[in-house]
């Protein structure tokens, strides 16, 4: 089933120096449960694509339909509400709130969306922290954790409202190879459970192990390949 579809999506930014086209006529279809790596040089438009799919930004032209919702036409308020239910976003630099504890960071999306009764939020957050193997740090501030541990917390936060789609922007960019491998394994597990994961990455090794690799250059998709002979080693 097609879960995500873009039709002629372009994004142009205006500045004092003039206009800059970050994406130009992108057509893309994503099925439920895919693990996709988006690759390309810096400035090619990868992060812009993720921001548009998340409803964080709006296209200048074109349409984006996700689970039958035309998100390109949503107001900021409605887009934020929709995103809170449907999208989990993972950032390269974690974006954890430094004054909140680890478990409070994970509970935050639940509080914003009022997804679960208050009494259930902390137990659910602990379950997520246990899943990503950082439950022992639940009451610490993010600054007390390593980069890999903070990224695991960020993944738990992205899963807080059980969204069907995970968008990850360079999630392993600041991590050592072993930790990056562990994060990728988490993504694989999520896909096995039926979630869709779209990951922007500069890590060629991880990209080639995704089920599908989309290559972007100068704001356009120039490659879209599916792996037919992936061999995973646990």
């Amino acid at each position: 089933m097609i879960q995500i579809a873009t039709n002629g999506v372009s994004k142009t930014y205006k500045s004092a120096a003039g206009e800059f086209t970050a994406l130009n006529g992108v057509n893309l279809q994503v099925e439920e449960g895919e693990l996709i790596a988006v690759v390309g040089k810096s400035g090619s438009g990868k992060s812009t694509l993720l921001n548009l799919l998340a409803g964080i930004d709006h296209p200048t032209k074109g349409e984006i339909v996700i689970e039958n919702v035309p998100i390109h036409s949503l107001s900021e308020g409605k887009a934020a509400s929709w995103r809170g239910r449907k999208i989990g976003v993972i950032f390269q630099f974690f974006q954890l709130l430094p004054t909140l504890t680890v478990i409070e960071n994970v509970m935050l999306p639940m509080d914003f969306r009022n997804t679960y009764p208050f009494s259930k939020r902390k137990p659910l957050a602990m379950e997520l922290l246990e899943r990503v193997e950082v439950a022992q740090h639940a009451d610490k501030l993010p600054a007390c954790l390593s980069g890999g541990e903070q990224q695991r917390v960020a993944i738990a936060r992205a899963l807080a409202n059980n969204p069907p789609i995970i968008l990850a922007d360079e999630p392993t960019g600041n991590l050592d190879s072993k930790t990056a491998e562990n994060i990728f394994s988490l993504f694989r597990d999520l896909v096995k459970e039926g979630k869709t994961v779209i990951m922007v990455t500069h890590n060629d090794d991880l990209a080639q192990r995704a089920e599908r690799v989309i290559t972007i250059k100068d704001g356009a998709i120039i490659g879209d390949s599916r792996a037919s002979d992936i061999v995973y080693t646990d």
Side-chain angles (χ1 to χ4, degrees):
M1 178 182 128
I2 300 299
Q3 187 177 36
I4 299 171
T6 72
N7 180 26
V9 167
S10 297
K11 180 63 181 180
T12 300
Y13 294 100
K14 296 181 180 180
S15 68
E19 293 188 348
F20 169 70
T21 299
L23 285 180
N24 187 14
V26 169
N27 297 312
L28 175 66
Q29 290 189 337
V30 177
E31 297 182 359
E32 281 185 358
E34 286 197 271
L35 173 55
I36 297 175
V38 180
V39 301
K41 294 182 179 179
S42 296
S44 61
K46 305 185 303 298
S47 294
T48 299
L49 176 61
L50 246 59
N51 286 338
L52 294 177
L53 294 179
I56 295 172
D57 205 351
H58 292 278
T60 306
K61 295 179 182 178
E63 300 175 333
I64 303 174
V65 179
I66 299 180
E67 295 194 340
N68 298 317
V69 176
I71 67 166
H72 59 279
S73 63
L74 297 179
S75 66
E76 287 191 17
K78 288 185 177 179
S81 177
W82 168 85
R83 183 169 54 251
R85 290 179 286 110
K86 295 295 184 179
I87 304 289
V89 182
I90 303 167
F91 302 95
Q92 178 178 0
F93 296 103
F94 322 133
Q95 303 293 342
L96 301 174
L97 295 184
T99 58
L100 298 183
T101 64
V102 162
I103 195 166
E104 288 170 341
N105 268 280
V106 176
M107 291 170 62
L108 201 58
M110 304 180 193
D111 295 336
F112 280 147
R113 285 292 309 149
N114 200 25
T115 317
Y116 309 105
F118 184 79
S119 62
K120 292 186 177 180
R121 294 175 196 174
K122 190 169 184 177
L124 285 170
M126 280 301 299
E127 286 181 16
L128 289 170
L129 290 174
E130 287 170 2
R131 173 167 190 181
V132 298
E133 299 178 352
V134 289
Q136 70 273 26
H137 301 306
D139 296 320
K140 297 179 182 177
L141 294 175
C144 298
L145 278 61
S146 69
E149 289 167 341
Q150 289 188 60
Q151 191 60 289
R152 287 173 177 270
V153 175
I155 292 172
R157 180 185 59 187
L159 297 173
N161 289 331
N162 194 28
I165 300 168
I166 302 296
L167 303 177
D169 194 357
E170 292 288 355
T172 63
N174 293 306
L175 307 178
D176 61 76
S177 58
K178 182 178 180 180
T179 305
E181 173 64 32
N182 290 337
I183 297 300
F184 185 75
S185 293
L186 279 171
F187 290 160
R188 278 173 36 200
D189 290 342
L190 293 173
V191 168
K192 290 176 183 177
E193 296 168 12
K195 295 189 184 297
T196 301
V197 177
I198 302 177
M199 172 183 67
V200 165
T201 182
H202 279 107
N203 189 318
D204 291 337
D205 290 337
L206 292 185
Q208 293 305 317
R209 292 172 57 201
E211 298 167 357
R212 182 178 174 191
V213 180
I214 293 172
T215 305
I216 298 182
K217 181 179 180 181
D218 298 330
I221 293 177
I222 63 167
D224 187 349
S225 60
R226 295 179 183 274
S228 58
D229 56 349
I230 298 173
V231 178
Y232 291 136
T233 57
D234 293 318

